[in-house]
Amino acid sequence: KPRVFSGIQPTADSFHLGNYLGALREWVTMQDTADAFYCVVDLHAITVAQDPDELRRRTRVSAAQLLALGIDPERSTLFVQSHVPEHAQLSWVLECLTGFGEAGRMTQFKDKSARQEAEHVGVGLFTYPILQAADILLYQTDAVPVGEDQRQHLELTRNLAQRFNSRFGPTFALPTAHIPKDTAKIQDLQDPTAKMSKSVPAGVVELMESPKRSAKKIRSAVTDLEKEIRYDVENKAGISNLLVIYSALTGRSIAELEAAYEGKGYGDLKKDLGEVVVDFVTPFQEQVQGYLDDVAELDKVLRKGAEHAREVGAATLRTVFDRIGFLAPT
Ligand code: TYM
């Protein structure tokens, strides 16, 4: 079975529709064919300031959402990154193999750091993609289900794996990014030329917010001054985004939707899509609540996941330490 690894940050009260359609949906299906490791990446979360109580809560809410979406801890390894110290240990080794300029070219770092004053940009934000590479390489990963915005980090990961392998001998599997064709970049509802992301609330459909609110956000989505419901990203970014979301949530093709809405208005499309979203998130939220009602059981699932992850990760790290010439502890 191929090995799959992916991670998500516990930095919000809720995952959003972009997370789900770009990545998490693939996490769920890949469980059928792969040996999957899924991780709530709290080490990554602290690259920007987090309130300790919030972080604890959001880490559990993240795990509960993953379970509710269908991550099955009997088949997959679900765990919290900080429970497996090998991530940080391998990250250090990889940092020592990464060029300063190479890390500085990461566009997510450039974007995130440009938004803050230099004094407030932590070094952790700079080394963030190297920790991500460590996450992936620690498990001899073959495939990494992610959205389009992670492509460059995956390239860095491959480069670091190849660099290590050629310098110290074959050690790491070479991972490929598994990026969905149609839903790799879900756009913001208020600015359909930008990706949906946590920072702009009105344009983001959160899986845990009140379903009514989600439906309202969809009804208020920015579109264009024409009338025709047609997929055309260049001229009709908003409508195209709604069609992509609609299609992904219902399994109806975009062509089928275009035909079904011929002669109808944007309001009809938005109203119907709002209902589709409500029907999706309502049972989901009930399930999440079920997992959160039994925190002891939730923590147990995460502990079991971490134990297994540690076994696999520690084996890779031992090899790495040996290859680079660290004396084995006696
Ligand atoms: P994060 O937590 O920002 O997002 C989790 C996943 O959601 C995808 N995504 C989107 N996909 C489509 N459209 C969108 N608008 C959208 N917004 C987010 C992301 O591509 C991601 O797959 N660096 C990672 C976390 C990470 C990781 C890893 C991922 C840490 N270590 C190892 C894979 C492997 C991140 O910030 O994801």
Side-chain angles (χ1 to χ4, degrees):
K1 270 192 181 179
R3 174 65 53 75
V4 159
F5 180 95
S6 200
I8 188 157
Q9 298 196 68
T11 44
D13 291 330
S14 173
F15 298 152
H16 58 67
L17 214 45
N19 298 135
Y20 175 62
L21 297 177
L24 303 179
R25 206 163 60 124
E26 297 297 312
W27 292 22
V28 176
T29 49
M30 286 174 101
Q31 296 181 109
D32 298 336
T33 51
D35 180 15
F37 284 62
Y38 296 130
C39 187
V40 179
V41 292
D42 53 353
L43 300 178
H44 281 101
I46 63 162
T47 53
V48 295
Q50 303 292 335
D51 174 80
D53 287 330
E54 288 275 277
L55 182 58
R56 256 184 292 276
R57 191 173 56 75
R58 287 170 168 176
T59 300
R60 287 203 181 99
V61 172
S62 296
Q65 288 178 88
L66 293 174
L67 292 167
L69 288 173
I71 300 302
D72 173 6
E74 295 297 319
R75 287 189 293 160
S76 301
T77 305
L78 175 65
F79 67 106
V80 174
Q81 191 183 27
S82 64
H83 292 176
V84 182
E86 285 79 2
H87 288 247
Q89 291 177 284
L90 179 58
S91 184
W92 174 252
V93 173
L94 297 177
E95 278 175 42
C96 296
L97 289 179
T98 309
F100 205 84
E102 189 177 28
R105 281 193 291 279
M106 294 294 115
T107 55
Q108 284 216 336
F109 168 71
K110 289 198 275 189
D111 292 347
K112 283 186 193 170
S113 55
R115 279 189 244 127
Q116 301 168 50
E117 280 173 61
E119 287 301 305
H120 297 136
V121 177
V123 173
L125 213 50
F126 186 64
T127 56
Y128 178 114
I130 308 170
L131 177 60
Q132 180 167 351
D135 297 341
I136 296 165
L137 299 180
L138 192 59
Y139 298 99
Q140 305 295 347
T141 302
D142 300 300
V144 186
V146 284
E148 177 63 39
D149 60 352
Q150 299 301 313
R151 192 183 287 280
Q152 197 189 25
H153 289 168
L154 263 293
E155 259 329 292
L156 175 72
T157 304
R158 288 170 62 85
N159 288 337
L160 291 176
Q162 275 168 323
R163 191 170 307 158
F164 189 100
N165 288 350
S166 69
R167 198 171 299 176
F168 301 106
T171 306
F172 295 121
L174 209 56
T176 46
H178 175 95
I179 298 175
K181 255 203 216 71
D182 307 314
T183 53
K185 195 169 174 222
I186 300 299
Q187 305 293 55
D188 187 277
L189 298 181
Q190 287 299 314
D191 176 7
T193 62
K195 83 167 173 186
M196 187 179 282
S197 78
K198 293 157 201 178
S199 33
V200 244
V204 178
V205 176
E206 296 187 356
L207 303 185
M208 293 298 291
E209 73 192 351
S210 100
K212 265 195 185 146
R213 197 171 141 84
S214 293
K216 189 165 170 231
K217 285 180 185 177
I218 287 170
R219 282 199 308 274
S220 329
V222 167
T223 49
D224 54 68
L225 298 171
E226 297 178 15
K227 285 193 172 133
E228 203 189 344
I229 295 173
R230 168 170 56 86
Y231 182 84
D232 175 352
V233 176
E234 212 127 285
N235 301 303
K236 301 168 80 69
I239 287 295
S240 302
N241 190 40
L242 294 179
L243 285 170
V244 166
I245 295 171
Y246 201 150
S247 167
L249 287 178
T250 58
R252 297 168 72 184
S253 73
I254 289 188
E256 196 184 325
L257 292 171
E258 286 172 339
Y261 283 94
E262 215 185 310
K264 294 192 183 174
Y266 290 176
D268 300 312
L269 176 78
K270 288 173 166 182
K271 184 171 153 291
D272 294 350
L273 177 56
E275 279 166 21
V276 167
V277 169
V278 169
D279 289 346
F280 175 73
V281 296
T282 304
F284 163 78
Q285 292 181 2
E286 279 166 22
Q287 291 209 37
V288 173
Q289 197 48 55
Y291 289 112
L292 291 175
D293 285 342
D294 193 351
V295 167
E297 177 60 27
L298 182 65
D299 288 354
K300 198 169 120 198
V301 164
L302 295 174
R303 184 166 66 241
K304 261 188 61 192
E307 275 167 21
H308 183 235
R310 266 203 98 165
E311 278 170 31
V312 177
T316 302
L317 191 72
R318 265 196 303 279
T319 310
V320 167
F321 277 9
D322 181 56
R323 294 270 154 86
I324 57 184
F326 287 173
L327 210 52
T330 49

